Structures are given as C-alpha cells and as structure tokens.
Amino acid sequence: MPEKRYYMACLDLERRDVLVVGGGSVAFEKVEGLLTCGARVTVVAPKIAAELERHDVTLRRRAYRESDLDGRFLVVAATSVTDVNRRVFADAEARGLLCNVVDVPELCSFILPAVHRVDPIAVAISTGGASPALAQRLRDEIARVVRPEHATLARRLRDLRPSAKERFPTYEERRDYFQRLVEAELG
C-alpha cells in the first residue's frame, strides 16, 4: 500500500473562526498555535484548564454540539474521549470543514507538522502522522540551520518584490533574479 501523501500548505487564519473541542493541556497547546496565527478561537469543553482562561478565546463550558461548527473555518478535536473525537470529525466532514483530531491521523482532513519559526520563515516537518516525536526532533535540528540572519534576508527580499515585478515581466525572470540574490548572499 502506498504511503499517504498530504498536500502541504500554509493557511491564513487571521481573523478566521476556529473551534477547539477539548479543554485540557493538549487543547491549550493547539490554542496557543492558533492564536499565534491570528485565529479567533472558541473552546468547547465541560472542563477547561486554567491556562486556557488566560487567553483571548471564547470559552463554552459544556459538551460539544454539532451547531458549534456553524461559521467555522476549521476545527481541532483535542479530547481524550474517542466517541467525541469521532463525532466531531464526522460532523466536520459532513460540512466540508477541515478537521484535525489530535494524535489520530485517520480522523484528520489535515495534520499539524512540527514547526520552527523565525518570522517570516516557518519550516514545517511532517512524518505524515507516523511519529510526532521524530518530527519534533527533526524540527529541533533544523532550528540550528535556520537562523535570524535568514529571516533578515527574507524581509529584504520581500521588500524587493514590488520593484522586481516592475523590472522583470515574467515569473521565470523574477525567480532567476531572486535565486541569484540568495546565492550571492548565502553562497
């Protein structure tokens, strides 16, 4: 059987509504990542950990309801209750919503990689759900390679994009121009 392949993409979650079902430490970890990306997060769970209360999220202290999915862009199920996680996934699938059930790849329409950020650079490592521990280890190794000077270069190159679009009419010419700049800077 061939390996499952995921289409790698970076989602713009700025001001998008995201639902997190679950109120424990795993949900807290997911909420922090979502907030970092500007998402508007609602947490639904009968019990909500104190650290979640300190974040700018909407808290609903109760059991999950299908209507919690109304108006959402994506959903993360982070409960320890298998039946709840399965129900969240089934409800999200029925609505065509992106859904991640933490640590259950077969119940995910997207999986979350291990990410190393040096804004504006983000390097994501995925093992296709096979081993989050391995992904985290590889992320830590990459962190030694991708450093602040790379972020500085990325910002300078971003600032050059408008003039490059005026100067070079085709995508290929712009690509080659930026490749030469990166090569000159990094060798």
Side-chain angles (χ1 to χ4, degrees), residues 111-116 122-127 131-140:
I111 57 174
L112 297 167
V115 178
H116 170 64
V123 180
I125 301 294
S126 173
T127 59
S131 175
L134 176 58
Q136 291 165 2
R137 169 69 183 265
L138 293 171
R139 175 203 58 206
D140 294 346

Short mmCIF file of all heavy atoms in Angstrom, two decimals, residues 111-116 122-127 131-140:
data_model
loop_
_atom_site.label_atom_id
_atom_site.label_comp_id
_atom_site.label_asym_id
_atom_site.label_seq_id
_atom_site.Cartn_x
_atom_site.Cartn_y
_atom_site.Cartn_z
N ILE A 111 -3.23 17.39 8.99
CA ILE A 111 -2.40 17.09 10.14
C ILE A 111 -1.50 18.29 10.41
O ILE A 111 -1.28 19.12 9.53
CB ILE A 111 -1.57 15.80 9.96
CG1 ILE A 111 -0.69 15.88 8.72
CG2 ILE A 111 -2.50 14.58 9.89
CD1 ILE A 111 0.25 14.71 8.54
N LEU A 112 -1.01 18.38 11.62
CA LEU A 112 -0.20 19.52 12.00
C LEU A 112 1.26 19.12 12.11
O LEU A 112 1.61 18.22 12.88
CB LEU A 112 -0.70 20.08 13.34
CG LEU A 112 -2.14 20.61 13.27
CD1 LEU A 112 -2.69 20.85 14.65
CD2 LEU A 112 -2.18 21.87 12.43
N PRO A 113 2.11 19.79 11.35
CA PRO A 113 3.54 19.47 11.41
C PRO A 113 4.19 20.10 12.63
O PRO A 113 3.61 20.95 13.30
CB PRO A 113 4.07 20.12 10.12
CG PRO A 113 3.16 21.29 9.91
CD PRO A 113 1.81 20.84 10.38
N ALA A 114 5.40 19.69 12.88
CA ALA A 114 6.24 20.37 13.87
C ALA A 114 6.83 21.58 13.16
O ALA A 114 7.33 21.46 12.04
CB ALA A 114 7.35 19.45 14.36
N VAL A 115 6.76 22.76 13.77
CA VAL A 115 7.13 24.00 13.09
C VAL A 115 8.25 24.71 13.84
O VAL A 115 8.21 24.84 15.05
CB VAL A 115 5.91 24.94 12.96
CG1 VAL A 115 6.30 26.26 12.30
CG2 VAL A 115 4.79 24.26 12.18
N HIS A 116 9.23 25.17 13.05
CA HIS A 116 10.27 26.07 13.58
C HIS A 116 10.04 27.42 12.91
O HIS A 116 10.01 27.52 11.69
CB HIS A 116 11.68 25.54 13.25
CG HIS A 116 12.74 26.54 13.55
ND1 HIS A 116 13.01 27.00 14.82
CD2 HIS A 116 13.61 27.19 12.73
CE1 HIS A 116 13.99 27.87 14.78
NE2 HIS A 116 14.37 28.00 13.52
N ALA A 122 8.98 30.03 8.24
CA ALA A 122 8.43 28.91 9.02
C ALA A 122 8.80 27.64 8.28
O ALA A 122 8.52 27.50 7.09
CB ALA A 122 6.92 29.03 9.16
N VAL A 123 9.46 26.73 8.96
CA VAL A 123 9.83 25.45 8.39
C VAL A 123 9.00 24.39 9.11
O VAL A 123 9.04 24.28 10.34
CB VAL A 123 11.33 25.14 8.55
CG1 VAL A 123 11.67 23.79 7.95
CG2 VAL A 123 12.18 26.24 7.91
N ALA A 124 8.25 23.62 8.33
CA ALA A 124 7.37 22.60 8.90
C ALA A 124 7.90 21.21 8.56
O ALA A 124 8.31 20.96 7.42
CB ALA A 124 5.96 22.77 8.36
N ILE A 125 7.86 20.34 9.54
CA ILE A 125 8.30 18.96 9.36
C ILE A 125 7.13 18.04 9.65
O ILE A 125 6.51 18.12 10.72
CB ILE A 125 9.45 18.59 10.33
CG1 ILE A 125 10.64 19.50 10.12
CG2 ILE A 125 9.83 17.13 10.20
CD1 ILE A 125 11.33 19.35 8.79
N SER A 126 6.85 17.16 8.72
CA SER A 126 5.77 16.20 8.92
C SER A 126 6.29 14.79 8.65
O SER A 126 7.07 14.57 7.73
CB SER A 126 4.61 16.49 7.97
OG SER A 126 3.64 15.48 8.06
N THR A 127 5.81 13.86 9.45
CA THR A 127 6.09 12.45 9.19
C THR A 127 4.81 11.77 8.71
O THR A 127 4.68 10.55 8.81
CB THR A 127 6.61 11.75 10.47
OG1 THR A 127 5.62 11.88 11.50
CG2 THR A 127 7.94 12.34 10.92
N SER A 131 5.03 9.74 13.30
CA SER A 131 5.76 9.92 14.55
C SER A 131 5.96 11.40 14.87
O SER A 131 6.93 12.01 14.40
CB SER A 131 7.12 9.24 14.49
OG SER A 131 7.85 9.52 15.67
N PRO A 132 5.08 11.98 15.67
CA PRO A 132 5.29 13.37 16.09
C PRO A 132 6.64 13.56 16.79
O PRO A 132 7.27 14.61 16.65
CB PRO A 132 4.12 13.64 17.04
CG PRO A 132 3.05 12.71 16.56
CD PRO A 132 3.78 11.47 16.12
N ALA A 133 7.10 12.57 17.53
CA ALA A 133 8.39 12.70 18.23
C ALA A 133 9.54 12.87 17.23
O ALA A 133 10.44 13.69 17.44
CB ALA A 133 8.63 11.48 19.11
N LEU A 134 9.51 12.11 16.15
CA LEU A 134 10.55 12.25 15.12
C LEU A 134 10.44 13.62 14.45
O LEU A 134 11.46 14.28 14.22
CB LEU A 134 10.43 11.13 14.08
CG LEU A 134 11.40 11.22 12.90
CD1 LEU A 134 12.85 11.23 13.37
CD2 LEU A 134 11.14 10.07 11.93
N ALA A 135 9.24 14.06 14.15
CA ALA A 135 9.06 15.38 13.53
C ALA A 135 9.62 16.47 14.44
O ALA A 135 10.30 17.40 13.97
CB ALA A 135 7.58 15.63 13.23
N GLN A 136 9.37 16.37 15.74
CA GLN A 136 9.88 17.37 16.68
C GLN A 136 11.40 17.34 16.74
O GLN A 136 12.05 18.40 16.80
CB GLN A 136 9.27 17.14 18.06
CG GLN A 136 7.80 17.47 18.10
CD GLN A 136 7.10 16.92 19.32
OE1 GLN A 136 7.72 16.30 20.20
NE2 GLN A 136 5.79 17.12 19.39
N ARG A 137 11.98 16.17 16.69
CA ARG A 137 13.45 16.05 16.71
C ARG A 137 14.05 16.69 15.46
O ARG A 137 15.04 17.44 15.53
CB ARG A 137 13.83 14.57 16.81
CG ARG A 137 15.30 14.26 16.59
CD ARG A 137 16.17 14.79 17.73
NE ARG A 137 17.57 14.56 17.48
CZ ARG A 137 18.25 13.51 17.94
NH1 ARG A 137 17.66 12.61 18.69
NH2 ARG A 137 19.52 13.38 17.65
N LEU A 138 13.47 16.40 14.30
CA LEU A 138 13.97 16.99 13.06
C LEU A 138 13.80 18.51 13.06
O LEU A 138 14.68 19.24 12.61
CB LEU A 138 13.26 16.37 11.85
CG LEU A 138 13.57 14.89 11.60
CD1 LEU A 138 12.65 14.32 10.53
CD2 LEU A 138 15.03 14.70 11.23
N ARG A 139 12.67 18.98 13.59
CA ARG A 139 12.45 20.42 13.72
C ARG A 139 13.56 21.07 14.55
O ARG A 139 14.10 22.11 14.18
CB ARG A 139 11.10 20.68 14.38
CG ARG A 139 10.85 22.18 14.65
CD ARG A 139 9.85 22.43 15.73
NE ARG A 139 10.25 21.81 16.98
CZ ARG A 139 9.40 21.43 17.92
NH1 ARG A 139 8.10 21.60 17.77
NH2 ARG A 139 9.84 20.87 19.04
N ASP A 140 13.93 20.44 15.65
CA ASP A 140 14.97 20.97 16.51
C ASP A 140 16.32 21.01 15.80
O ASP A 140 17.11 21.94 15.98
CB ASP A 140 15.06 20.18 17.81
CG ASP A 140 13.81 20.33 18.67
OD1 ASP A 140 13.00 21.26 18.40
OD2 ASP A 140 13.63 19.52 19.59
#
